[in-house]
Amino acid sequence: GLLHPTSGQVIINDHDTRKYKIADLVSEIGFVFQDPDQQLFANSVLEEVLFGHKMRNQIDEKIEKRALEVLKIVGLANMTERHPFSLSRGQRQKLAVATALLHNPPLILLDEPTTGQDRVSLEGLLDLLKELNQSGNTTIMVTHDMDIVAAYATRILVMDQGRIVMDGSSTEVFY
């Protein structure tokens, strides 16, 4: 919803995204920018995770509990009161992922989620995304890290100059 297609269509759950309002897309999509600093607004880590729900007046005990669970999953449970910009680059990336995961969206889009992550944290994050995918979520990740692609992708689209030049499994594409 940030940009509309100039040609072709983007279809989510049988609906053309050009006809969606951004507010409607928010419940369907979790989006993580390449630079987490582009999507952090609040004064504490917990407030950041709850930000979208607060804007929609959807804060309740259940959501707050889920926020704490998500922060635990991404390894930030002990940092709830810290200001987001006091975190390391990798921690801010994890926080951005937590904000995208809070409402269990059926579609998760990640732009270069490996940036600023140490290997252990990255594997934990990717394992989480793999579990979500196996439970029915669609996860789309843009990355240049071919090791990550080989280890985690079930389908790969290779693009060049804005066009898909290859589409297949990791075995097919790497062959």
Side-chain angles (χ1 to χ4, degrees):
L2 298 175
L3 298 173
H4 294 286
T6 55
S7 64
Q9 294 177 303
V10 177
I11 306 293
I12 299 175
N13 292 334
D14 298 323
H15 299 294
D16 187 335
T17 59
R18 289 177 292 192
K19 297 174 184 170
Y20 269 90
K21 294 178 182 172
I22 291 177
D24 296 332
L25 287 173
V26 168
S27 63
E28 297 289 320
I29 301 171
F31 184 72
V32 180
F33 288 70
Q34 179 175 357
D35 180 356
D37 297 346
Q38 300 283 320
Q39 68 185 91
L40 301 177
F41 306 101
N43 290 317
S44 77
V45 167
L46 183 57
E47 286 178 41
E48 191 66 56
V49 175
L50 294 169
F51 182 81
H53 285 272
K54 183 179 179 184
M55 293 294 102
R56 294 187 304 273
N57 294 315
Q58 296 176 338
I59 300 290
D60 59 23
E61 191 175 299
K62 182 180 173 184
I63 292 296
E64 288 178 359
K65 183 179 178 186
R66 171 74 178 147
L68 293 172
E69 289 171 3
V70 169
L71 286 169
K72 184 176 181 182
I73 288 167
V74 298
L76 299 175
N78 63 341
M79 300 181 184
T80 58
E81 298 305 315
R82 289 195 44 192
H83 194 284
F85 289 106
S86 74
L87 304 176
S88 71
R89 173 74 160 80
Q91 290 168 329
R92 292 192 310 274
Q93 188 76 16
K94 289 179 189 178
L95 178 56
V97 170
T99 65
L101 295 178
L102 181 63
H103 63 285
N104 288 319
L107 174 61
I108 301 169
L109 302 173
L110 303 108
D111 187 4
E112 297 289 355
T114 61
T115 306
Q117 298 288 330
D118 62 77
R119 203 66 183 174
V120 172
S121 297
L122 178 60
E123 287 175 1
L125 171 62
L126 293 170
D127 287 343
L128 170 65
L129 294 171
K130 184 176 181 179
E131 286 173 28
L132 289 169
N133 183 255
Q134 290 171 342
S135 68
N137 287 62
T138 298
T139 304
I140 300 173
M141 179 175 27
V142 176
T143 186
H144 292 86
D145 188 330
M146 291 301 107
D147 291 334
I148 296 300
V149 170
Y152 289 92
T154 57
R155 179 178 173 196
I156 300 169
L157 290 112
V158 179
M159 298 185 75
D160 183 33
Q161 304 295 317
R163 299 199 182 284
I164 297 170
V165 295
M166 219 178 285
D167 179 357
S169 69
S170 58
T171 304
E172 294 167 329
V173 169
F174 284 109
Y175 177 75

